[in-house]
């Protein structure tokens, strides 16, 4: 029987993930100019995969490439924040409505496992890993709703979610625990099949993140 080999991660994807981690950890800041040379040295990679990753970030609206000045890390505009949270609200409330109609115990367990890992990192006050599991919780809800088109749309804004999420948690460190507790509320109502309550808590959860990010 032929042995299945693990899926190979291309260098451009490795570069993308490494740069994304730097952004999420706050080691690269909005308003900052970078160069391919700097990133190449920092990540220990050649410029070709770095260039490919940067083009992907430009497409996502995270950076802008200036031929003479270098790579500019975009700041977050009020319009961008509002648009991204509006999109999240549409996608995630639909997923909650669909999922809560017939959620399985195994699916509940998957979400509980993610929240357990999130809580462990919150106790360590590790913003990066807390945010990683925060994002995984939302991605898992979208995945379990079994709408491939909507899931791909959600994944398309995931980079911005991480970037913006880091800003929220840096501005208000106690938001780490609040986020976890709000996730628990959403999951509790999902498990009970309380559609309206689960949707309400998701909407409230997203609105709090939006308002903190905008300092409202």
């Amino acid at each position: 029987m032929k042995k299945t080999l693990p899926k190979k991660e291309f260098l451009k994807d490795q570069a993308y993930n490494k740069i994304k981690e730097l952004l999420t950890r706050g080691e690269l800041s909005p308003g900052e100019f970078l160069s391919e040379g700097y990133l190449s040295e920092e990540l220990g990679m050649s410029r070709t995969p770095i260039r490919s990753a940067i083009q992907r970030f430009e497409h996502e609206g995270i950076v802008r490439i200036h031929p003479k000045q270098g790579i500019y890390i975009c700041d977050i505009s009020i319009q961008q924040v509002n648009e991204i949270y509006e999109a999240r609200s549409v996608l995630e409330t639909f997923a909650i409505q669909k999922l809560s109609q017939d959620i399985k115990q195994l699916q509940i367990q998957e979400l509980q496992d993610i929240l357990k890992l999130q809580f462990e990192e919150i106790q360590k006050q590790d913003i990066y890993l807390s945010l990683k599991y925060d994002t995984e919780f939302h991605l898992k809800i979208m995945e379990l709703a079994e709408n491939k088109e909507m899931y791909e749309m959600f994944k398309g804004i995931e980079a911005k979610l991480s970037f913006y999420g880091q800003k929220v948690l840096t501005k208000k460190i106690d938001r780490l625990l609040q986020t976890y507790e709000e996730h628990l509320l959403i999951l509790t109502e999902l498990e009970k099949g309380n559609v309206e309550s689960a949707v309400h808590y998701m909407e409230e959860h997203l609105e709090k993140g939006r308002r903190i990010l905008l300092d409202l």
Side-chain angles (χ1 to χ4, degrees), residues 90-102:
V90 171
L91 293 170
E92 296 190 66
T93 54
F94 172 83
I96 289 288
Q97 288 171 343
K98 185 177 180 184
L99 188 56
S100 50
Q101 293 171 11
D102 186 33

Side-chain angles (χ1 to χ4, degrees), residues 185-209:
L185 280 173
I186 294 164
L187 184 53
T188 298
E189 297 308 306
L190 267 176
E191 187 171 13
K192 292 177 181 177
N194 293 339
V195 182
E196 289 185 11
S197 295
V199 168
H200 168 75
Y201 285 128
M202 177 61 82
E203 289 175 334
E204 195 175 67
H205 173 62
L206 295 175
E207 178 61 13
K208 284 181 181 176

Side-chain angles (χ1 to χ4, degrees), residues 133-193:
Y133 292 117
D134 181 322
T135 304
E136 281 192 18
F137 178 78
H138 290 272
L139 278 168
K140 179 56 70 173
I141 286 175
M142 293 302 304
E143 179 188 331
L144 295 175
E146 295 185 337
N147 184 310
K148 290 182 180 179
E149 292 297 324
M150 297 188 84
Y151 179 66
E152 290 303 319
M153 289 170 65
F154 190 84
K155 280 176 65 180
I157 61 173
E158 190 265 335
K160 289 184 180 179
L161 297 183
S162 299
F163 190 37
Y164 294 172
Q166 186 267 338
K167 292 293 177 186
V168 170
L169 297 175
T170 300
K171 285 186 175 187
K172 193 172 181 182
I173 193 68
D174 59 352
R175 181 68 186 148
L176 285 170
L177 185 57
Q178 290 173 4
T179 298
Y180 167 77
E181 291 171 344
E182 288 162 18
H183 286 171
L184 278 180
L185 280 173
I186 294 164
L187 184 53
T188 298
E189 297 308 306
L190 267 176
E191 187 171 13
K192 292 177 181 177

Side-chain angles (χ1 to χ4, degrees), residues 39-55:
L39 289 171
S40 178
E41 185 176 341
E42 184 75 12
L43 302 178
M45 303 180 75
S46 70
R47 293 194 182 196
T48 301
I50 298 289
R51 188 175 300 118
S52 178
I54 290 300
Q55 288 171 349

Side-chain angles (χ1 to χ4, degrees), residues 32-35 54 58 63-74:
E32 186 177 349
F33 277 96
L34 305 169
S35 68
I54 290 300
E58 184 179 41
V63 305
R64 287 201 304 270
I65 300 173
H66 296 268
K68 294 183 179 180
Q69 294 173 290
I71 303 155
Y72 177 75
I73 302 176
C74 300

